Amino acid sequence: MDVLDRLQKIVGEEHATDSPEICKAYAYSTSITARYEHTPDYVVQPQNTQQVSEVLKLANELHIPVTPKGLVSGSGYAGPFYGGILLDLLDMDKVLHIDPVNMKAVAEAGCSFFKLSQEIFKQGMMLPTTQYTCGPGVAASYIGPAIAFGKTRYGRNCELVEGAEVVLPTGEICRIGSLAYEDSEFGPYTKYIHGPDLLGLYIMSNGAYGIVTKVAYACQKCPPVWQGASYYWKESDIKGCTDFMVEATNMEVYDIHMNDRWKYDLMTRGKNCEKVRPGLLDFLPEDAYFFMEATLNAFSQEEMDAKMKQMDELAEKYNGKKMGNELGGEFFSKWPTIHSVPHIYVNLLSSVYEMDKLNYQYIFDSIVYPTSKFDVVYPKMKELFEKYGFWGYPSASIIDCFPMKGQTICSQTWTYLNTRDEEMVDRVFAFRDEFREWFGKVGGTHQMHLPPITPDYAWKNQAEDYRILQKIKKALDPNNICSPATFEMEV
């Protein structure tokens, strides 16, 4: 019996294939990192945890690499590096448990974060993160870095995880954190066991330590009163903008989202960069440059009024000017799990296409650094963008920032490309490489791609930690079958 026959015996004939056409389709990525595409030898769609366990036992026996897959990424690479089995978990998409009394929720690996959020929302609860689209599957949001997703002041999605079910490379099924108590009378209620916290081992693990098949979350009660407030700063007041973000994330604010003016300016432009449609900036002084969207929630209008007053006073303290609700308005009160009004992005993308037939939104590295250093990082970005021709029309770049807890900020930077213009693509990577060199030297953290396509500084800045991760990998997976490329870099 060959490998495919044995896989089909585990999951069913219709859920395992070595079809070249299907395997090639699973290797496809929308990212211009497509140079890393590798085609799996088999695509397997398990229906439950036991099937995942049996697949891993077989893979371990035959030394076949296994890579888990959720929803396809739009800015990274979601396929295997060494062929083998691509484990498509999207059929495992059930919401398994919602407990509005103890504020808990459990879902299978392939359940989208958006689907889980909406089911929780119906029960008067919320996961305090923002959703832009359907989001990743819950397992992907746990084991992979979130990109422009889930970065409120509460942190990233993975920081809300209280428990997980994991199939180890040997096929052994383990439940860690709150799911260790799943079969007890109490059920899953705390992430802590009588020993070290194992959940962190799987954050950003890329499936290297096993396949996550269930995820348990801590939820919060959803307040009934929501409101948005917007502020702007001049470019010369970047220090005040920075200080505002530092202090605001220590307050009871749900979310803060910062962009520079290019996001709103681009939406008003047409061919030859001329202004063809009205926009937000028409209502503001010409020197309005940094824009802050603050989302607040409360359990009463009195509480909201107090929070809004506190936020307004804080912005004024740091030279910010209040805009009102132009960037969100009452949208939040009707759909609080969505951060920004969707038409913003539709208008923006149509504008850049009109200007120069730019067909691709490229997101540079998603980076994390101290919020207090925004006024250092932003000018460096601008300097290099100007050097490589991605500042101003027709190839303007946009800074997108999410101040989080722990006085850190995550920022993505987008630019727009014609991917058929090889010279333009080369300039994009030249910018990226020069910025990476500088950012790594000052101690920055990379939060976008996963190894082995991360920049060198992502592991060299934490070399001792990576050596420990490599030792754990060898102990748990001596045959190196689970996402084998993840920790193979030299440090």
Side-chain angles (χ1 to χ4, degrees):
M1 185 180 295
D2 64 15
V3 174
L4 180 60
D5 290 335
R6 294 179 69 178
L7 289 170
Q8 289 178 337
K9 187 175 180 181
I10 294 170
V11 299
E13 186 174 344
E14 70 276 24
H15 295 303
T17 184
D18 62 356
S19 162
E21 293 80 11
I22 294 176
C23 290
K24 181 62 178 176
Y26 270 83
Y28 176 75
S29 173
T30 59
S31 172
I32 58 174
T33 57
R35 67 188 68 182
Y36 299 107
E37 286 180 4
H38 297 277
T39 303
D41 299 305
Y42 309 95
V43 173
V44 179
Q45 298 171 311
Q47 308 299 297
N48 54 56
T49 299
Q50 189 58 47
Q51 289 183 358
V52 173
S53 172
E54 294 303 318
V55 169
L56 283 179
K57 288 177 183 177
L58 174 61
N60 202 45
E61 173 193 338
L62 302 178
H63 294 200
I64 300 173
V66 179
T67 304
K69 176 198 168 294
L71 297 168
V72 174
S73 169
S75 55
Y77 175 56
F81 280 84
Y82 295 124
I85 296 169
L86 189 65
L87 206 61
D88 182 352
L89 299 170
L90 292 186
D91 283 348
M92 297 175 61
D93 66 346
K94 300 181 187 67
V95 176
L96 300 171
H97 177 70
I98 295 180
D99 180 356
V101 175
N102 296 304
M103 313 295 283
K104 310 296 180 187
V106 182
E108 289 184 313
C111 177
S112 82
F113 199 84
F114 182 81
K115 175 180 176 179
L116 177 61
S117 294
Q118 295 311 305
E119 291 303 311
I120 289 170
F121 190 67
K122 294 173 187 176
Q123 298 293 325
M125 302 186 295
M126 68 174 185
L127 291 170
T129 54
T130 52
Q131 286 80 53
Y132 286 73
T133 60
C134 58
V138 294
S141 73
Y142 172 37
I143 71 169
I147 304 170
F149 181 89
K151 295 182 173 72
T152 65
R153 69 175 292 276
Y154 296 93
R156 294 173 49 218
N157 296 343
C158 58
E159 296 180 83
L160 306 173
V161 173
E162 285 196 330
E165 179 182 78
V166 181
V167 181
L168 298 181
T170 58
E172 181 183 359
I173 300 171
C174 298
R175 289 179 292 185
I176 58 178
S178 67
L179 288 186
Y181 307 102
E182 187 175 28
D183 293 335
S184 72
E185 183 177 344
F186 289 163
Y189 68 97
T190 176
K191 67 181 289 185
Y192 298 107
I193 58 173
H194 189 68
D197 176 11
L198 299 175
L199 290 168
L201 183 62
Y202 288 87
I203 292 175
M204 293 184 70
S205 67
N206 195 31
Y209 296 138
I211 307 298
V212 173
T213 52
K214 293 181 187 176
V215 181
Y217 283 95
C219 306
Q220 294 183 2
K221 186 173 179 60
C222 186
V225 183
W226 290 74
Q227 193 166 335
S230 305
Y231 310 91
Y232 74 85
W233 279 258
K234 300 177 183 179
E235 186 176 12
S236 59
D237 282 331
I238 186 172
K239 182 64 166 65
C241 177
T242 301
D243 291 342
F244 171 84
M245 290 190 290
V246 169
E247 194 164 334
T249 47
N250 280 323
M251 295 166 49
E252 283 299 314
V253 57
Y254 177 78
D255 191 36
I256 301 173
H257 185 189
M258 198 279 288
N259 291 107
D260 61 11
R261 69 172 289 124
W262 294 109
K263 176 177 178 180
Y264 306 103
D265 205 343
L266 278 174
M267 289 187 291
T268 68
R269 304 288 167 168
K271 294 178 181 178
N272 303 315
C273 307
E274 78 279 15
K275 190 172 178 63
V276 297
R277 59 180 69 87
L280 174 66
L281 299 184
D282 296 336
F283 304 97
L284 298 171
E286 289 186 6
D287 58 2
Y289 193 88
F290 294 113
F291 297 89
M292 205 81 63
E293 303 172 44
T295 307
L296 297 93
N297 54 32
F299 289 93
S300 69
Q301 189 59 51
E302 291 77 14
E303 181 188 2
M304 177 60 73
D305 292 343
K307 285 185 174 182
M308 289 296 295
K309 182 175 183 294
Q310 186 181 28
M311 186 65 69
D312 290 347
E313 290 174 349
L314 183 65
E316 183 178 3
K317 174 183 175 182
Y318 291 115
N319 297 324
K321 307 299 182 185
K322 187 170 184 179
M323 298 162 51
N325 293 327
E326 288 88 345
L327 299 187
E330 299 306 312
F331 187 79
F332 298 114
S333 66
K334 298 179 176 63
W335 205 222
T337 56
I338 299 288
H339 184 90
S340 296
V341 184
H343 77 263
I344 285 177
Y345 302 100
V346 175
N347 287 346
L348 193 152
L349 292 170
S350 64
S351 298
V352 297
Y353 185 77
E354 286 177 4
M355 282 197 296
D356 202 23
K357 296 295 183 288
L358 303 174
N359 66 345
Y360 189 85
Q361 179 184 350
Y362 180 69
I363 302 178
F364 290 93
D365 298 344
S366 179
I367 56 176
V368 174
Y369 51 95
T371 307
S372 61
K373 298 298 183 182
F374 173 75
D375 57 348
V376 175
V377 175
Y378 184 90
K380 185 64 177 181
M381 283 185 175
K382 181 179 177 181
E383 171 196 330
L384 293 179
F385 275 131
E386 290 176 331
K387 175 180 177 180
Y388 289 100
F390 291 103
W391 196 258
Y393 305 116
S395 299
S397 297
I398 295 169
I399 308 298
D400 199 27
C401 295
F402 302 81
M404 301 185 293
K405 69 177 185 180
Q407 302 309 303
T408 59
I409 189 170
C410 178
S411 65
Q412 291 83 39
T413 307
W414 338 328
T415 196
Y416 297 90
L417 300 174
N418 181 342
T419 54
R420 293 176 290 275
D421 185 337
E422 292 184 7
E423 186 273 338
M424 179 179 270
V425 173
D426 288 343
R427 280 190 285 121
V428 161
F429 286 112
F431 164 88
R432 184 200 66 181
D433 292 344
E434 186 166 346
F435 181 78
R436 281 181 173 182
E437 182 179 3
W438 175 83
F439 190 67
K441 286 179 180 178
V442 297
T445 303
H446 184 91
Q447 293 270 319
M448 185 172 179
H449 307 97
L450 286 162
I453 60 174
T454 45
D456 288 354
Y457 74 78
W459 57 83
K460 289 183 177 178
N461 280 358
Q462 302 96 27
E464 293 180 1
D465 296 61
Y466 266 81
R467 292 189 189 102
I468 293 173
L469 294 173
Q470 289 170 329
K471 291 178 181 179
I472 295 172
K473 169 71 170 167
K474 188 172 183 179
L476 290 176
D477 188 9
N479 292 326
N480 196 27
I481 65 162
C482 283
S483 299
T486 304
F487 296 121
E488 68 179 6
M489 71 289 292
E490 294 183 6
V491 291

